[in-house]
């Protein structure tokens, strides 16, 4: 005790302050950045392993701040979730992705687009109506839209979430469980959800060619998904060897740097044109 612990607690205190200030800064800058066009959606292809010309894309948010530089979604999504601003981001992402979908469909590109939802979005009862309105105004068929939700999102206020999920599914869009394997959802819960896709988290995929444990987990997850009538996607596919393994296991779709990193919309459209030749 004495001086030493005082110094230590002082150090902890200032460490906490710095982190807190950074969060405060991001929270204050978020809406200004969104309105200034410093936040954009990038797209990463999702490839059907049996029919490689059947394409999907996942929309991933990117924040390039003029002074703070690149801010990772892993850092700022949590901040705007705590502040409640996530609803603003989600609405913007849905609007932007659906407009880009319209553009792709106009170029005769058959593609689905996935948008990430946060746990809090599922508590907003207006979400299904908002999505329906966007699809209608952009004349985008609901079957071209996929919404990705995490397991943990559904754990909280399960009844309310389930109700909103059913209303979304009834619009005709696809619901996908993201980061599968990292949460705690039970199988009986999984069976009750109106989802049709399961995405295996990249932590199980990145070392698939060398880890026997991951091979076991991935194989049984694919089997489980198929037993429940779900399509299975693997994310974080970085090599040809891993893709071959996944195909061998009967995995339906692959996404990862092997095909492309996430790209700005215009570059993604060029990527698609080159890929489909
Ligand atoms: P996620 O939804 O699980 O997205 C997959 C992450 O893996 C993305 O990170 C993507 O860039 C990265 N990735 C893709 N292929 C590979 C690969 O081959 N190897 C490796 N190592 N990584 C790969 P990103 O873009 O940094 O996003 C991180 C997380 O932030 C996302 O994880 C998602 O949870 C969240 N996020 C991103 N955009 C949005 C958004 O618009 N709304 C919400 N609510 N969350 C978002
Ligand atoms: Ca996702
Ligand atoms: Ca994921
Ligand atoms: Ca993730």
């Amino acid at each position: 005790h004495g001086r030493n612990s005082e110094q230590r607690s002082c150090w902890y205190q200032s460490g906490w302050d710095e982190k807190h200030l950074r969060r405060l800064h991001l929270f204050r800058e978020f809406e200004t950045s969104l309105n200034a066009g410093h936040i954009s959606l990038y797209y990463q292809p999702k490839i059907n392993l049996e029919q490689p010309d059947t394409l999907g894309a996942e929309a991933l948010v990117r924040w390039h701040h003029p002074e703070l530089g690149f801010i990772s979604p892993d850092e700022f999504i949590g901040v705007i979730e705590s502040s409640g601003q996530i609803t603003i981001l989600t609405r913007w992402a849905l609007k932007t992705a659906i407009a880009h979908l319209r553009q792709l469909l106009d170029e005769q590109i058959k593609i689905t687009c996935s948008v990430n939802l946060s746990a809090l979005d599922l508590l907003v009862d207006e979400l299904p109506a908002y999505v329906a309105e966007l699809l209608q105004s952009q004349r985008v068929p609901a079957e071209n839209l996929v919404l990705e939700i995490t397991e943990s999102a559904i754990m909280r206020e399960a009844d309310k979430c389930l109700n909103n999920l059913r209303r979304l599914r009834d619009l005709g869009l696809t619901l996908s469980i993201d980061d599968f394997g990292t949460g705690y959802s039970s199988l009986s819960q999984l069976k009750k959800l109106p989802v049709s896709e399961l995405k295996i988290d990249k932590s199980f995929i990145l070392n698939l060619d060398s880890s026997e444990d991951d091979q076991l987990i991935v194989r049984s997850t694919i089997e489980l998904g198929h037993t429940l009538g779900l399509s299975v996607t693997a994310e974080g596919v970085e090599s040809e060897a891993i893709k071959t393994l996944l195909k061998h296991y009967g995995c339906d779709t692959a996404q990862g740097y092997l095909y492309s990193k996430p790209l700005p919309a215009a570059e993604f459209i060029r990527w698609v044109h080159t890929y489909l030749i």
Side-chain angles (χ1 to χ4, degrees):
H1 287 286
R3 237 182 101 168
N4 245 341
S5 72
E6 249 167 64
Q7 273 172 344
R8 211 178 304 134
S9 74
C10 184
W11 183 83
Y12 280 129
Q13 186 65 38
S14 77
W16 182 85
D17 270 348
E18 224 170 87
K19 216 167 131 192
H20 193 70
L21 281 174
R22 165 89 175 171
R23 289 174 68 88
L24 199 63
H25 200 162
L26 297 183
F27 148 71
R28 287 215 183 110
E29 287 294 306
F30 171 71
E31 278 167 73
T32 315
S33 274
L34 192 66
N35 296 328
H38 296 151
I39 294 178
S40 59
L41 283 184
Y42 278 35
Y43 295 88
Q44 185 178 40
K46 275 174 74 177
I47 312 288
N48 185 301
L49 289 169
E50 281 301 320
Q51 296 160 300
D53 53 349
T54 303
L55 278 182
E58 178 176 5
L60 294 156
V61 70
R62 293 292 178 264
W63 183 356
H64 296 276
H65 191 279
E67 280 109 44
L68 300 172
F70 175 73
I71 306 158
S72 157
D74 279 327
E75 183 182 11
F76 78 81
I77 296 284
V79 176
I80 64 168
E81 274 177 344
S82 328
S83 68
Q85 290 163 310
I86 187 72
T87 346
I88 298 170
L89 177 77
T90 300
R91 281 173 174 251
W92 168 85
L94 285 163
K95 195 172 175 185
T96 308
I98 289 171
H100 282 144
L101 251 176
R102 180 69 260 160
Q103 221 178 315
L104 286 153
L105 297 174
D106 284 343
E107 297 198 27
Q108 318 301 326
I109 296 165
K110 262 187 67 189
I111 195 164
T112 61
C113 181
S114 306
V115 175
N116 289 285
L117 295 187
S118 129
L120 295 170
D121 295 316
L122 293 176
L123 299 176
V124 179
D125 287 329
E126 290 76 24
L127 183 72
Y130 181 73
V131 174
E133 207 179 286
L134 283 175
L135 291 169
Q136 201 175 24
S137 70
Q138 293 278 7
R139 293 169 299 107
V140 168
E143 62 252 36
N144 291 79
L145 184 66
V146 181
L147 298 179
E148 297 190 2
I149 50 178
T150 56
E151 293 170 78
S152 58
I154 311 148
M155 302 291 289
R156 298 182 224 169
E157 298 199 51
D159 287 347
K160 196 179 179 103
C161 288
L162 208 57
N163 187 34
N164 282 329
L165 287 175
R166 288 205 188 98
R167 285 164 63 212
L168 286 167
R169 189 233 7 229
D170 290 345
L171 297 176
L173 51 78
T174 299
L175 294 173
S176 171
I177 301 202
D178 205 356
D179 299 347
F180 188 78
T182 61
Y184 298 97
S185 66
S186 67
L187 292 181
S188 61
Q189 228 178 351
L190 185 61
K191 220 177 75 180
K192 269 192 283 179
L193 294 175
V195 299
S196 32
E197 184 189 70
L198 184 158
K199 283 185 92 170
I200 305 176
D201 191 68
K202 61 175 179 288
S203 57
F204 301 106
I205 306 294
L206 291 171
N207 304 308
L208 190 67
D209 49 347
S210 57
S211 159
E212 277 179 37
D213 284 351
D214 288 347
Q215 289 171 11
L216 210 70
I217 293 167
V218 168
R219 283 177 86 142
S220 46
T221 305
I222 292 169
E223 237 169 78
L224 167 72
H226 288 166
T227 303
L228 293 171
L230 308 176
S231 165
V232 180
T233 298
E235 62 175 26
V237 180
E238 295 186 351
S239 73
E240 197 68 43
I242 290 175
K243 179 197 100 178
T244 305
L245 267 177
L246 287 165
K247 203 173 166 196
H248 178 69
Y249 296 161
C251 185
D252 302 282
T253 318
Q255 177 182 351
Y257 299 161
L258 171 66
Y259 300 102
S260 171
K261 60 184 184 38
L263 301 170
E267 266 179 63
F268 177 74
I269 293 178
R270 284 198 291 277
W271 182 92
V272 171
H273 281 301
T274 321
Y275 176 81
L276 287 177
I277 293 171

